[in-house]
Amino acid sequence: QSTLYEKLDDKNKQLLDGITNESRVYLSRLITLIESSREDHQAQARLIISILLQRSREFELKHDYQPKSFRIGVSGPPGAGKSTFIEAFGTYLTNTLNKKVAVLAIDPSSVRTGGSVLGDKTRMVELSKDPKAYVRPSSTRGTLGGITKSTSDTIVLCEAAGYEIIIVETVGVGQSEVAVEEMVDIFMLLVPPANGDELQGLKKGIVELSDIVVVNKADGELLPRARFTVAEYMSAFKMQRPKTEFWKPKVLSCSSLTKDNIDQVWKTMNEFKDTMTKSGELRYKRSEQKQTWMWRYIEEELMNRLHNNKNVADLIPVIEAQVKDGNISPSLASSTIIEKFLKS
Ligand code: GDP
């Protein structure tokens, strides 16, 4: 650890020392550093995250492998009530349970359009003002890969800053939920009450990723439909192989408006955390996740280098045209580009 630490700039040493004192200002500065595209910033960021991972490991060794933070992924279609839920759930955690909570958002829409589904509204007003909470709006720059990559590092920073519960939110419309599932301990799908027709299109892929499904808006006139939706998701899970032998996915309902059952959602998540920690499965899952992220980084870095390589730049449009015309096969095209890249 000390050798990595010595490679840091004085300014970053100070930030790193500060973050362990749970300073929000230092946390924000470090997040800015890891989101920076400057190569020198990236090099420092890599060291910082490594040092913090080492510190987390030391913490876990001392505390019987209890992780320092619990990471919750929340996904669901637009309008399901994600921000209302996170506001109610987060406030329950900070006020009633006296926990420190961080909320990070991944917004796939911002990548495509530059605008955002998550960010345009004023979201989580109460939680944003809560001294025990840290709400980080989604970054709107870069690729989805870039945004998710910095989010997985931001989780490590938040953990170091003493946030015990880290919520990562994303809209369940694309690839981002897979990336989120790979960086959290528990993946939750939040859905609105639905009727039979709407459930026909129940997205299999995202259900398979889920450890817990919560049917929101179980209040007033929507209550019967919420009950129906719970039953439908329960039967969907019955037909599916569980992600782990240690946990059968649970389906609950709640109301983020009346706050009914918000405590039950937490109770179930906590059950998951206990079961997965005691069995050693959580530790295993996290180490697998880190390996997955290593490969994600490699893929992204290689693609960046390929696209920025001047020798290949002229060749790419030529080869692309040949592939489109059916002159050469996609596989031959790919190997031609890669050969040229490796030789340059
Ligand atoms: P998001 O797009 O998933 O973040 O959804 P929002 O949190 O913005 O909520 C979408 C709409 O659903 C808003 O009008 C909320 O007031 C409403 N809503 C959210 N939670 C509940 C709930 O528990 N019950 C009811 N009746 N409405 C809710």
Side-chain angles (χ1 to χ4, degrees):
Q1 176 167 333
S2 61
T3 49
L4 293 183
Y5 187 81
E6 288 314 316
K7 289 184 190 159
L8 290 176
D9 298 348
D10 284 346
K11 196 182 75 203
N12 289 331
K13 278 184 187 157
Q14 204 186 350
L15 288 180
L16 190 64
D17 295 341
I19 196 180
T20 40
N21 296 332
E22 310 191 350
S23 159
R24 196 191 280 249
V25 180
Y26 283 19
L27 173 61
S28 295
R29 285 205 199 137
L30 283 170
I31 295 177
T32 309
L33 181 79
I34 61 155
E35 286 178 351
S36 163
S37 52
R38 268 176 54 179
E39 184 46 45
D40 57 333
H41 289 168
Q42 285 293 314
Q44 290 278 300
R46 288 194 283 267
L47 293 173
I48 287 171
I49 299 299
S50 291
I51 293 168
L52 291 176
L53 285 176
Q54 291 172 352
R55 289 186 185 170
S56 292
R57 190 186 54 195
E58 278 162 25
F59 176 93
E60 284 166 21
L61 283 172
K62 271 194 212 131
H63 294 85
D64 208 16
Y65 292 113
Q66 284 287 335
K68 221 177 150 208
S69 70
F70 184 44
R71 304 154 181 187
I72 302 169
V74 174
S75 187
K82 291 179 296 301
S83 62
T84 317
F85 170 81
I86 293 172
E87 174 107 317
F89 183 68
T91 311
Y92 169 75
L93 296 174
T94 58
N95 281 349
T96 311
L97 302 183
N98 206 24
K99 303 257 188 213
K100 287 180 74 180
V101 177
V103 181
L104 314 172
I106 291 180
D107 187 347
S109 57
S110 67
V111 174
R112 279 196 306 272
T113 63
S116 79
V117 173
L118 291 178
D120 289 345
K121 302 172 278 179
T122 313
R123 313 176 84 245
M124 302 169 223
V125 185
E126 287 299 311
L127 210 54
S128 302
K129 287 186 289 195
D130 189 333
K132 295 181 75 75
Y134 180 79
V135 179
R136 178 90 185 173
S138 153
S139 158
T140 49
R141 280 179 306 136
T143 60
L144 182 59
I147 291 174
T148 50
K149 186 178 132 196
S150 64
T151 305
S152 72
D153 286 344
T154 304
I155 291 177
V156 177
L157 293 175
C158 288
E159 180 174 293
Y163 291 93
E164 301 150 293
I165 298 180
I166 300 165
I167 300 173
V168 184
E169 177 196 11
T170 191
V171 185
V173 288
Q175 279 301 302
S176 63
E177 61 262 20
V178 176
V180 169
E181 197 270 341
E182 286 169 351
M183 63 176 93
V184 296
D185 300 324
I186 185 167
F187 186 80
M188 174 185 135
L189 175 64
L190 190 79
V191 292
N195 60 37
D197 288 350
E198 289 160 338
L199 283 167
Q200 292 297 317
L202 190 144
K203 290 211 307 176
K204 285 270 181 329
I206 192 169
V207 176
E208 280 163 15
L209 290 179
S210 308
D211 301 297
I212 171 172
V213 172
V214 175
V215 180
N216 189 33
K217 311 192 187 184
D219 49 48
E221 286 177 356
L222 293 168
L223 204 52
R225 269 216 269 171
R227 290 206 183 100
F228 169 78
T229 310
V230 167
E232 289 293 303
Y233 274 94
M234 279 183 170
S235 58
F237 276 126
K238 282 212 183 87
M239 292 184 289
Q240 182 181 298
R241 232 178 104 229
K243 274 164 73 184
T244 149
E245 59 176 302
F246 297 97
W247 180 257
K248 282 201 180 60
K250 303 278 186 301
V251 186
L252 314 178
S253 64
C254 78
S255 168
S256 306
L257 227 48
T258 65
K259 319 243 186 324
D260 264 357
N261 247 5
I262 293 285
D263 55 344
Q264 288 301 315
V265 175
W266 169 249
K267 209 173 142 223
T268 307
M269 289 188 178
N270 208 30
E271 241 172 68
F272 175 92
K273 180 175 172 244
D274 282 347
T275 311
M276 296 288 278
T277 307
K278 283 199 191 97
S279 61
E281 187 71 3
L282 192 65
R283 200 151 54 96
Y284 173 75
K285 182 172 178 167
R286 284 189 176 190
S287 55
E288 293 287 301
Q289 285 175 332
K290 281 180 277 201
Q291 190 185 27
T292 303
W293 280 96
M294 181 187 84
W295 284 105
R296 289 233 181 287
Y297 286 7
I298 292 175
E299 281 164 24
E300 187 167 287
E301 183 62 26
L302 283 178
M303 286 304 278
N304 280 343
R305 289 194 192 187
L306 179 70
H307 283 296
N308 294 329
N309 186 297
K310 291 197 179 58
N311 294 319
V312 185
D314 295 340
L315 183 68
I316 287 178
V318 179
I319 301 279
E320 273 179 343
Q322 288 182 345
V323 168
K324 282 187 182 164
D325 286 348
N327 273 338
I328 56 172
S329 71
S331 64
L332 179 59
S334 140
S335 70
T336 311
I337 291 173
I338 289 172
E339 284 303 315
K340 175 95 177 175
F341 173 56
L342 292 179
K343 281 194 193 120
S344 63

